[in-house]
């Protein structure tokens, strides 16, 4: 059991695979376990979960710089991106980064039959390429290698051109402070750096961008009063972003409320300094330049990757390289474990 930022984590040494699956604090594990036990005992009513849904929504809003009423709750990032992609006008021109995570780009590419065109450019060139496009869809932090988009340059370019901006914060929210309220839409899945069970995701929507979205998954839980919109017409959806809600995945929302409230209680500038300090410290030991990210991408041999695995290091292979991620529960011990394995 590791103690980090005031919480206990049952995470083994060498766990550096948070960009794939985050490890929750013990308090989240306990909350979900208790909920499973209540489920098994038939002790719950569906409305009993509404408070957890609201708590998770409110905490996510705080983490990305929005108000709670501007956040919709869903089940996966691609499902929420799909709402945006299916709502852009016919013939829209969408700009994205080359090598972007496909849950962000595929929903737009799937709209090709409506004349929607997706253009890829190098991430460093993205802000200077905004002109002439209607929508920019990009991750705040790239999944494959941890590279970060220049948010200020993108904000200025979008303001000049009038392009809408969709930011995917899945690989950023939870380890770095974010103030993204200027973007039109911000999406994030919960099961990585946000330390939640899989099955929860959120979409923050700037109010002036909400009216552009078609509620393709309209359902009872998206009603202004969900418990009064279970049966019959007419259509009666919530006025704010909740109109985009899916009926919640209960256990994921229980874990979401616990983990996200824990993260909002932290000084995320300190969390960032901790995570980046470990990642850049590893790069320095390997005579590589700092990246300023919690994600490190290394070009390692097959033998080095074998030794990492034998040493108990949990990592991932992405874009032909070895990806390591340092979160708040990691320590210098993990850095040393990596170095000993790849230097043998």
């Amino acid at each position: 059991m590791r103690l980090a930022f005031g919480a206990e984590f049952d995470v083994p040494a060498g766990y550096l695979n948070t960009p794939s699956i985050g490890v929750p604090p013990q308090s989240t594990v306990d909350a979900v376990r208790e909920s499973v036990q209540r489920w098994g005992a038939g002790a719950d009513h569906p409305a009993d979960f509404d408070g957890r849904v609201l708590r998770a929504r409110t905490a996510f809003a705080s983490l990305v710089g929005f108000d709670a009423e501007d956040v919709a709750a869903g089940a996966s990032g691609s499902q929420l991106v799909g709402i945006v992609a299916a709502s852009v006008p016919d013939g829209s021109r969408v700009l994205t980064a080359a090598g972007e995570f496909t849950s962000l780009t595929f929903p737009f590419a799937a709209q090709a039959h409506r004349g929607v065109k997706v253009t890829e450019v190098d991430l460093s060139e993205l802000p200077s390429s905004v002109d002439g496009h209607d929508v920019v869809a990009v991750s705040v932090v790239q999944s494959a290698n941890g590279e970060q988009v220049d948010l200020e340059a993108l904000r200025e370019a979008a303001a000049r051109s009038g392009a809408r901006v969709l930011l995917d914060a899945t690989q950023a929210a939870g380890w770095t402070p974010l103030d993204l309220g200027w973007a039109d839409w911000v999406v994030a899945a919960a099961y990585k750096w946000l330390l939640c069970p899989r099955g929860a995701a959120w979409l923050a929507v700037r109010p002036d961008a909400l009216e552009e979205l078609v509620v393709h998954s309209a359902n009872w839980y998206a009603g202004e009063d969900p418990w009064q919109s279970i049966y019959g017409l007419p259509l009666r959806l919530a006025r704010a972003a909740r109109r985009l809600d899916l009926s919640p995945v209960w256990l994921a929302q229980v874990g979401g409320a616990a983990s996200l409230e824990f993260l909002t209680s932290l000084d995320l500038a300190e969390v960032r300094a901790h995570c980046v300090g470990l990642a850049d410290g590893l790069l320095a030991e390997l005579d590589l330049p700092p990246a300023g990210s919690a994600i490190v991408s290394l070009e390692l041999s097959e033998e080095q990757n074998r030794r990492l695995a034998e040493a108990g290091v949990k990592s991932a292979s992405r874009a032909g390289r070895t990806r390591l991620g340092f979160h708040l529960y990691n320590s210098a011990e993990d850095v040393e474990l990596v170095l000993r394995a790849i230097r043998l």
Side-chain angles (χ1 to χ4, degrees):
M1 195 72 71
R2 288 188 174 189
L3 181 65
F5 289 84
E8 289 185 322
F9 295 86
D10 190 11
V11 59
Y15 188 85
L16 296 171
N17 201 25
T18 299
S20 297
I21 303 176
V23 177
Q26 192 60 39
S27 56
T28 297
V29 175
D30 293 342
V32 174
R33 180 185 292 117
E34 178 186 358
S35 190
V36 170
Q37 290 171 341
R38 288 180 59 81
W39 171 38
D44 284 318
H45 184 277
D48 294 342
F49 294 92
D50 288 351
R52 306 291 185 94
V53 175
L54 176 60
R55 286 167 52 192
R57 188 194 313 272
T58 301
F60 177 78
S62 175
L63 287 169
V64 296
F66 278 75
D67 294 329
E69 67 177 9
D70 299 326
V71 173
S76 72
S78 58
Q79 171 252 322
L80 293 168
V81 172
I83 295 173
V84 179
S87 300
V88 300
D90 292 356
S92 290
R93 298 155 298 174
V94 180
L95 179 68
T96 192
E100 181 61 81
F101 192 65
T102 53
S103 288
L104 181 59
T105 55
F106 274 13
F108 289 98
Q111 301 297 318
H113 63 285
R114 299 196 293 113
V116 175
K117 181 180 179 181
V118 182
T119 299
E120 296 177 298
V121 298
D122 287 344
L123 185 66
S124 61
E125 299 174 1
L126 189 135
S128 62
S129 303
V130 170
D131 194 38
H133 294 88
D134 303 297
V135 177
V136 180
V138 67
S139 291
V140 177
V141 175
Q142 289 292 302
S143 171
N145 55 22
E147 191 175 354
Q148 299 167 76
V149 68
D150 187 336
L151 288 172
E152 191 56 37
L154 175 58
R155 179 178 185 176
E156 293 174 359
R160 287 194 303 269
S161 70
R164 293 291 199 185
V165 176
L166 169 61
L167 296 176
D168 186 340
T170 299
Q171 295 288 359
W175 69 262
T176 189
L178 297 172
D179 186 7
L180 306 177
W182 58 270
D184 298 282
W185 309 286
V186 177
V187 67
Y191 64 97
K192 301 175 189 266
W193 302 91
L194 292 175
L195 312 178
C196 303
R198 187 158 187 157
W202 295 273
L203 177 69
V205 184
R206 210 170 66 191
D208 64 305
L210 178 62
E211 296 304 319
E212 299 180 14
L213 301 182
V214 178
V215 189
H216 290 280
S217 301
N219 67 95
W220 72 278
Y221 203 78
E224 186 66 44
D225 180 351
W227 298 105
Q228 297 301 318
S229 57
I230 299 175
Y231 302 113
L233 293 172
L235 180 69
R236 46 201 188 276
L237 297 177
R239 289 179 294 249
R242 278 202 313 101
R243 69 174 65 178
L244 305 173
D245 275 12
L246 283 188
S247 183
V249 180
W250 287 331
L251 295 179
Q253 292 291 329
V254 168
S259 282
L260 267 61
E261 287 182 341
F262 163 64
L263 289 169
T264 59
S265 74
L266 304 180
D267 182 339
L268 286 176
E270 290 185 6
V271 175
R272 176 186 173 87
H274 171 80
C275 299
V276 173
L278 293 173
D280 281 350
L282 172 63
L283 292 174
E285 289 290 334
L286 297 173
D287 295 323
L288 295 171
S293 176
I295 297 174
V296 170
S297 177
L298 300 176
E299 185 173 358
L300 300 180
S301 67
E302 187 174 321
E303 172 65 16
Q304 286 174 313
N305 279 312
R306 183 187 65 79
R307 293 200 302 261
L308 277 179
E310 289 178 350
V313 175
K314 297 294 191 300
S315 61
S317 177
R318 294 291 185 271
R321 296 168 67 91
T322 301
R323 185 184 69 182
L324 307 170
F326 293 86
H327 207 357
L328 46 80
Y329 40 66
N330 291 116
S331 69
E333 177 185 0
D334 301 308
V335 175
E336 289 300 319
L337 195 60
V338 172
L339 291 172
R340 285 197 301 270
I342 65 179
R343 282 174 169 173
L344 282 177

